[in-house]
Amino acid sequence: MDVSSASFIPRRVSGADEARQVMAREGAAIVTGLADEAAAVAFGAQVMGDRSVRIGTQFEATKANNRREAMVVDAQPADKHGRKRDFGTSEERMIAHNDGFAFGDYAPDHLFLWCERPAAVGGDSFLIDTARLLDLLAADPEHADLADFCRTVDIDHSEPNYPQGTYAPIARRTPSGRLQGRFHPWQAPVEGTAHEAAHWAFVRRWESAVVAARDTGPMFRVEAGEMMCVDNYRVLHGRDGHSDPNRKVCSIWGWSTDAVAIPDGPLDIVVPRIPVTPPPR
């Protein structure tokens, strides 16, 4: 089936209020004219408004940083199933994902991607609206069972060697009423259940749908001084491969009062520390 319309190009907006409204309706927006990282963080806080709890730069996406982090991750052991974490290289097209997926309920609900310098060639971005993707699946008789699985069956969202200790469907409504639709390459059925083998087929079909949306939908370029404002619960993101050592994008994570859980300290994506404080229910 054609899922290309689940991918979209966000609209460019002129201010924090408009960005907030467009994010709520469409999942993402782009703002322009942010001269530096401090201005980008401040703008993100304005977008969250009086719901803002915490915001700050999580990491700088550069070719050099990717290489350093990938070396640390490559040295980490495989888990008992032989799975290994892999940060890949900047030359590869990125896997669609929600930022902070390693942290489960503690992932940020807002994501701001500020571009200091785009790649000279390549590095274009993509966004996938999981709400739209699930609706497309549900409307197709051949794939309606997949949409139902995504919305009703608990799976394991952990990365190799970093168990989260809780399970949840691929798509759910958070306590604040927002849709959360998740994807990353380590999603798996709950181990040891009677339906584990059957559930693998659904998890793989969800992966195929996400990859198809990424590879058939539009990509777009974010220029210097521009920032994507993304509903990190609803929208998957990523970028095409590039080899420019000067490309620099800052990933800014924000938690609002809508977040399922807020971590008790800084998060480390290279050596994840799963927060120990139970999320509110």
Side-chain angles (χ1 to χ4, degrees), residues 128-149:
I128 300 172
D129 182 355
T130 61
R132 173 64 175 162
L133 181 54
L134 287 164
D135 285 347
L136 289 169
L137 295 172
D140 187 320
E142 292 186 13
H143 299 285
D145 61 335
L146 174 57
D148 183 66
F149 175 88

Side-chain angles (χ1 to χ4, degrees), residues 66-192:
N66 178 263
R67 185 182 299 113
R68 284 192 295 268
E69 293 173 348
M71 289 176 63
V72 176
V73 170
D74 286 346
Q76 294 171 355
D79 68 8
K80 64 181 181 180
H81 302 293
R83 305 183 309 162
K84 270 184 62 68
R85 300 175 76 221
D86 181 7
F87 275 17
T89 68
S90 61
E91 288 80 9
E92 299 170 327
R93 179 171 291 187
M94 191 174 284
I95 295 171
H97 62 285
N98 320 85
D99 259 19
F101 61 80
F103 306 103
D105 287 344
Y106 294 90
D109 61 319
H110 287 73
L111 173 64
F112 304 97
L113 295 169
W114 175 70
C115 180
E116 179 175 307
R117 179 178 174 138
V121 177
D124 288 359
S125 296
F126 62 83
L127 297 174
I128 300 172
D129 182 355
T130 61
R132 173 64 175 162
L133 181 54
L134 287 164
D135 285 347
L136 289 169
L137 295 172
D140 187 320
E142 292 186 13
H143 299 285
D145 61 335
L146 174 57
D148 183 66
F149 175 88
C150 290
R151 290 168 169 152
T152 61
V153 178
D154 285 352
I155 70 163
D156 187 352
H157 294 272
S158 301
E159 277 196 289
N161 293 320
Y162 298 97
Q164 294 171 11
T166 60
Y167 308 112
I170 288 169
R172 64 179 180 178
R173 287 289 172 184
T174 68
S176 66
R178 284 169 57 183
L179 173 72
Q180 185 176 32
R182 290 185 277 185
F183 177 75
H184 65 79
W186 306 115
Q187 289 178 323
V190 176
E191 188 177 8

